[in-house]
Amino acid sequence: MTDGTVTTELDSALDKHRVELTGYCYRMLGSSFEAEDAVQDTLVRAWRSYDKFEGRSSLRSWLYRIATNVCLDMLSAGNKRARPMDLTDSTPLAQAALSPRPDHTWLEPMPDARVLPSTADPAEAAVAKESVRLAFMAALQQLPPKQRAVLILREVLAWRASEVAELLGTTVASVNSALQRARATLAERADQGDGAAVSDPLDEEQQKLLDRYVAAFEGYDMTALTALLHEDAVMTMPPFDLWLSGSADITGFMTTLGAACANSRLVPVEANGLPAFAHYKPDEEAGGFAPWAVQVLEVSDGRITGFHCFLDTKRWFPLFDLPLRLEAEADEV
């Protein structure tokens, strides 16, 4: 077997784990781009040190050990990714102001296909989706890095305590203690309402809700949109720290500061295990539609409870493989 064949086979073996490793690093870091950088660093380190891999653990376990160390190094600066509601109180519409914060402040969206490996097990798929939803991701960011790793490995990836202890170079008792503390923190956040705005697997009624949402948003019909929003729905717009609570303030914002979004177009995408859309608004100068936001929706009990608009389209649209322009349809010209 030639060196070239060995190299190709190793590249292929390592790359088979890319999606699940990206999901792991994304949960650890809360950043789409940092997660992909961490995975690339992991695979490069693995490739360079493969001759030292003695096979005492599986290749997968070895890669997770490297990825964990990469993520822990990246988290050593102490930055915690957050949502606007994690940092400030909601702002009444009358006081609404768009104040941006640096990119590294925010929890970032992620396409499902980049972090959710295909699986034939519906229960496993459901857990994977739940674990990248925005509320859960925000809760993870509140955990110390090693607790975060323990919780993800034990609760999301279903590793045994002994396996996690070996990976982290610690004891089973230490792993179990960290898991208990992490669970307590997440339970406290759930009691504060962070677990409420979670989408169920889409059924026929939920799909109809999304269809009505698209019709209301594209038609900028605030009466129809109000009927779809939970009375305590929230709207966020990273990189701005402003967030609004309640259907009246949300629709009021859309008809004032957000009025330029009238007659927009929505294109379905899959993000964070939740319903999502690429939002294109009319381009008054060039015609057609220009990218404006990736919207991620949280749905519960037949209503939209979260309406999260990620506005940095130069970053998000390429990540989601979305075109940077939509042409007007013939009947709109």
Side-chain angles (χ1 to χ4, degrees), residues 37 45 51 53 55 57 62 64 70 74 79 87 100 128 131 141 179 186 205 207 215 240 280 283 298 331:
D37 288 346
R45 291 189 191 189
D51 59 339
F53 174 54
S57 64
W62 184 59
Y64 270 94
V70 169
M74 293 174 73
N79 290 336
L87 302 179
S131 68
Q141 305 311 302
L179 179 60
L186 264 60
E205 288 304 311
Q207 188 57 58
F240 302 114
Y280 294 83
D283 187 333
E298 292 170 316
D331 58 0

Side-chain angles (χ1 to χ4, degrees), residues 210-258:
L210 294 183
D211 292 342
R212 292 197 295 273
Y213 168 74
V214 171
F217 192 93
E218 291 188 343
Y220 236 55
D221 183 339
M222 295 301 123
T223 300
L225 188 60
T226 297
L228 303 178
L229 294 173
H230 190 277
E231 62 181 8
D232 296 324
V234 298
M235 178 181 181
T236 68
M237 292 163 283
F240 302 114
D241 58 14
L242 170 73
W243 66 281
L244 302 166
S245 179
S247 57
D249 276 2
I250 291 172
T251 55
F253 178 89
M254 292 174 65
T255 54
T256 53
L257 293 176

Side-chain angles (χ1 to χ4, degrees), residues 110-141:
M110 180 64 113
D112 284 359
R114 291 181 182 257
V115 292
L116 299 178
S118 58
T119 174
D121 184 341
E124 187 178 316
V127 169
K129 278 196 169 187
E130 290 280 357
S131 68
V132 294
R133 288 174 175 166
L134 295 175
F136 184 79
M137 288 287 299
L140 281 178
Q141 305 311 302

